[in-house]
Amino acid sequence: MSLRATARVVAAADGTLPVLESDGPFALRRTRSTDTYTRVTVVGAMSAPLGGDDLTLEARARDGARLAVDAAAATVALPGRTPAPAHYRVRLDVGADAVLRWLPEPLVSARGSDLRAHTTVELADSARLVLREEQILGRHGEEPGTLVTRLTVHRSGRPLFDQELAYGPGAPGGWDGPAVLAGRRAVGQLLVVDPEFADKPVAAGPLAETAVVTPLAGPAALVSALAEDALSLRRVLDAALDRLAPV
């Protein structure tokens, strides 16, 4: 039987969490923070997503709030009893003068799985966002499942960024070719939206052999990276995070 679940977190400017609702595989826990952010950690309560599951994770930083969300472990997409794809939706809302640091662990696409993951973000004009996404295509020694990911960001109601990526046997041909992944199995991106970039835009250029930073209108910057494995990918994105969005 497929699973439907929605978990929610809302952070206020005074550091409280008016809403902290766990559901299904999402166990939300307030965890200790060493900085000025209210920190929430997503703990996996069961194996998910499986084929046919429909999961939603929502986070809202109200005006003036500083919210950091991370995870205790990677999310592993697995095949289920039904051939239907699983859906994993993340919905983020960041209010005026608020900051959201969305830094989950990687999403692993296991062989035989079929997952559609869509992250949507709504930003106020003065909001700041740090968002990291990492996809690991297959566990050690195995081919990946089918994975389609989309990231859609609006700022002040206007489109800022909209990108869809597809990998695995259900993706269009060429996804693993020399012009795309070139055989690599770890892919990630770091999106930073900061009003200060309007006056001091980030310069475009390489960050590593297979990583590049691209300034976006908005103001924002996108880091796109490839790597041989999850550890190498995280090192590249951590270096980019320290450069573009230090705590």
Side-chain angles (χ1 to χ4, degrees), residues 20-32:
L20 190 65
E21 297 179 356
S22 301
D23 193 15
F26 303 120
L28 306 184
R29 300 289 184 263
R30 179 163 189 166
T31 46
R32 182 175 299 176

Side-chain angles (χ1 to χ4, degrees), residues 17 21 107 118 143 186 194 226 240:
L17 295 171
E21 297 179 356
L107 171 61
H118 190 186
E143 291 299 307
D194 191 329
L226 299 175

Side-chain angles (χ1 to χ4, degrees), residues 163-177:
Q163 175 178 274
E164 183 173 282
L165 304 171
Y167 313 104
W175 66 271
D176 198 24

Side-chain angles (χ1 to χ4, degrees), residues 9 38-42 57 59 67-71 100-104:
V9 56
T38 301
R39 181 184 175 197
V40 173
T41 298
V42 182
L57 183 55
L67 174 63
V69 180
D70 57 20
L100 174 60
R101 294 172 70 89
W102 186 262
L103 301 171

Side-chain angles (χ1 to χ4, degrees), residues 82-145:
T82 170
H87 292 271
Y88 186 2
R89 300 176 178 89
V90 174
R91 297 170 180 158
L92 310 177
D93 188 298
V94 191
D97 299 316
V99 186
L100 174 60
R101 294 172 70 89
W102 186 262
L103 301 171
E105 291 302 301
L107 171 61
V108 181
S109 174
R111 181 174 58 191
S113 65
D114 190 348
L115 177 64
R116 308 293 187 267
H118 190 186
T119 298
T120 57
V121 186
E122 297 290 339
L123 301 171
D125 186 66
S126 57
R128 288 188 289 158
L129 171 73
V130 176
L131 183 149
R132 180 181 69 211
E133 290 190 336
E134 298 167 307
Q135 292 93 35
I136 309 303
L137 306 179
R139 293 169 294 190
H140 181 71
E142 75 173 9
E143 291 299 307

